[in-house]
Amino acid sequence: MDIIQVLDKKFRVTTPEAEILKRVDAVAQQINKDMEGKNPLFLAVLNGSFIFAADLMRRITIPCEISFVKLASYQGTTSTGTVEEVIGISENLAGRTVIIVEDIVETGLTMKRMMETLGTRNPASVHICALLQKPEKLKADIDIDYVAMRIPNDFILGYGLDYNQQGRNLRDIYTLVEDENTNIKGNMKNIVIFGAPGSGKGTQSDLIIEKYGLNHISTGDVLRSEIKKGSQLGKTAKEYIDDGMLIPDSLMVDILASVYDTFGTQHKGVIFDGFPRTVPQAEALKKMLADRGHQVAAMIELDVPEEELMARLIKRGQESGRSDDNAETIKKRLDVYHNQTAPLIEWYQKEGIRHHIDGLGALDRIFGDICQVIDNIL
Ligand code: AMP
């Protein structure tokens, strides 16, 4: 039986165990050759890599060690508010050749952060060995030294990888089957991530994208990139941004539609981050999506107290140098939020798709609450 049901989804075998093992074998042979005499320390990232790590290790014939680590995210003090900590390294890494063993590399952002963290412990070198890689999704500038298989941007399962924690025990690798009877638009997850400046929209968007493979539109990022390019739009935008004001709705709506259309008509969904910011923008978004047969599936509101927002933005300003993260502009942006943007909470409540999330506390807990909302609209 090549098609199986896991929870509410159907999956089809795409890489049988024998084929996986051939690829693991090839990677192991390469490592045996490259790492001879270096006594490498493998650091396998739990949970997903446990089966890959076990099969890989039994094919490594040179002296080596293995240890297991986990990644945990905390609300912290960096510019984005995120600190990703590697838990479980008891070894002294100084002078060691380290090979991170990961199940899958998508955007590569997590791996980049992990390499930076390990780098502070003075290893001789750090390498990445991934079972799977999705080249289409790679964003971070990293070298992945060893890859067993490169795959398209599909949702996969088995051989250690899970769907809602199920399916890690499957021997083969499976790919999600789009049900022909289900209209793809019904599965499309267009999500508005909503909150005041500093509420963690960007940080949580990165995590959502990584987990669910959604597209991302941050209107603030689009505008900052136009400013950097020195385009006419950038010049206009800069005046409003530096003053803590909103860019006129008509301009924003056109920008949004043109970025949205770059994803084609049959995408998995988009995270709207920083849009809509006014009721007319919300109405325009609804219409723009309806014209394409699409809709917003959920509005996720990150609720963070004002004093915390102030503190986070001032801290971010000191670290990121964003021109609008200074005390005076922050105050204006928060006023603009209360006067023009906060009424959208009520608006989306009436639409029946508002989900309130307590945005103060541990990043993992907040992300967990968000995932619950997203999983329920799958
Ligand atoms: P952000 O990075 O989302 O905090 O956005 C930074 C600035 O870009 C805002 O303070 C506004 O000046 C401008 N901006 C971003 N998104 C919008 C929008 N949807 N409507 C109007 N102005 C926006």
Side-chain angles (χ1 to χ4, degrees):
M1 243 280 274
D2 274 359
I3 299 241
I4 56 160
Q5 178 95 24
V6 176
L7 300 174
D8 60 331
K9 303 224 170 290
K10 288 197 174 65
F11 293 85
R12 172 173 56 84
V13 175
T14 41
T15 315
E17 185 182 23
E19 177 64 25
I20 304 170
L21 293 178
K22 257 198 240 162
R23 307 292 190 96
V24 174
D25 213 43
V27 165
Q29 279 184 31
Q30 190 62 46
I31 295 178
N32 286 329
K33 215 165 108 205
D34 296 349
M35 300 296 169
E36 174 98 63
K38 296 189 174 164
N39 185 28
L41 169 62
F42 290 89
L43 285 184
V45 184
L46 293 173
N47 297 330
S49 75
F50 76 110
I51 292 185
F52 173 44
D55 280 339
L56 179 73
M57 285 309 284
R58 283 176 291 180
R59 288 165 173 77
I60 298 292
T61 51
I62 54 171
C64 65
E65 294 168 32
I66 183 162
S67 192
F68 297 86
V69 296
K70 264 200 160 201
L71 295 175
S73 306
Y74 295 99
Q75 191 99 358
T77 51
T78 66
S79 58
T80 57
T82 321
V83 176
E84 196 137 53
E85 197 185 320
V86 185
I87 326 178
I89 309 175
S90 45
E91 291 74 13
N92 178 3
L93 302 189
R96 298 295 307 264
T97 298
V98 175
I99 305 179
I100 302 170
V101 180
E102 178 67 308
D103 53 353
I104 182 161
V105 176
E106 296 192 310
T107 62
L109 295 171
T110 306
M111 275 301 98
K112 190 169 167 61
R113 272 183 241 128
M114 183 160 173
M115 289 190 80
E116 284 163 5
T117 309
L118 296 181
T120 62
R121 295 171 175 242
N122 301 320
S125 58
V126 182
H127 309 263
I128 299 174
C129 174
L131 170 69
L132 301 162
Q133 194 218 336
K134 290 180 171 175
E136 287 169 47
K137 295 207 71 189
L138 192 67
K139 274 212 246 165
D141 178 22
I142 50 167
D143 289 329
I144 309 173
D145 304 71
Y146 306 101
V147 178
M149 287 175 275
R150 292 192 169 78
I151 56 167
N153 187 19
D154 296 319
F155 187 84
I156 46 139
L157 173 81
Y159 196 74
L161 288 100
D162 74 307
Y163 166 50
N164 278 353
Q165 300 307 327
Q166 296 286 312
R168 293 192 196 274
N169 51 320
L170 296 165
R171 306 185 79 102
D172 307 311
I173 291 180
Y174 291 75
T175 298
L176 179 69
V177 179
E178 294 290 355
D179 187 348
E180 289 100 54
N181 301 321
T182 319
N183 183 347
I184 180 148
K185 289 165 197 161
N187 289 333
M188 192 181 269
K189 293 180 285 291
N190 283 324
I191 295 166
V192 170
I193 184 115
F194 185 88
S199 58
K201 300 189 294 291
T203 306
Q204 293 294 340
S205 293
D206 285 347
L207 297 171
I208 298 170
I209 294 156
E210 178 120 24
K211 175 159 179 179
Y212 294 96
L214 301 186
N215 302 292
H216 183 214
I217 304 180
S218 155
T219 43
D221 284 351
V222 171
L223 296 169
R224 280 185 288 276
S225 122
E226 291 297 321
I227 293 174
K228 220 167 160 186
K229 277 192 244 159
S231 66
Q232 190 48 50
L233 168 61
K235 284 182 188 135
T236 312
K238 186 165 171 29
E239 290 177 23
Y240 289 95
I241 291 181
D242 286 351
D243 205 23
M245 305 305 286
L246 296 184
I247 278 77
D249 288 339
S250 54
L251 195 55
M252 286 313 299
V253 171
D254 287 350
I255 295 171
L256 188 88
S258 65
V259 180
Y260 186 80
D261 285 334
T262 62
F263 303 128
T265 51
Q266 298 234 320
H267 53 81
K268 286 187 176 169
V270 170
I271 307 279
F272 295 97
D273 163 5
F275 191 102
R277 266 178 150 98
T278 62
V279 171
Q281 287 185 11
E283 281 162 351
L285 176 62
K286 188 174 175 181
K287 177 164 185 318
M288 187 273 280
L289 292 176
D291 288 347
R292 291 154 177 77
H294 303 169
Q295 59 184 5
V296 173
M299 179 271 217
I300 297 179
E301 176 202 348
L302 297 175
D303 186 6
V304 176
E306 185 95 7
E307 317 80 71
E308 171 71 11
L309 294 172
M310 264 317 244
R312 285 188 195 173
L313 290 168
I314 287 177
K315 179 113 199 144
R316 186 173 76 183
Q318 286 161 355
E319 288 166 359
S320 75
R322 247 177 78 162
S323 61
D324 55 348
D325 280 346
N326 60 72
E328 192 192 337
T329 314
I330 290 169
K331 174 111 205 7
K332 264 203 207 158
R333 285 162 61 205
L334 290 174
D335 285 347
V336 166
Y337 170 77
H338 290 302
N339 295 331
Q340 301 190 51
T341 308
L344 285 172
I345 297 172
E346 180 85 27
W347 194 90
Y348 277 110
Q349 179 73 27
K350 284 197 184 130
E351 292 278 299
I353 53 171
R354 170 199 171 214
H355 301 266
H356 174 269
I357 305 268
D358 176 3
L360 187 64
L363 198 95
D364 270 354
R365 198 270 304 145
I366 300 169
F367 183 54
D369 289 355
I370 292 177
C371 292
Q372 266 197 359
V373 172
I374 298 179
D375 291 339
N376 282 324
I377 55 166
L378 276 181

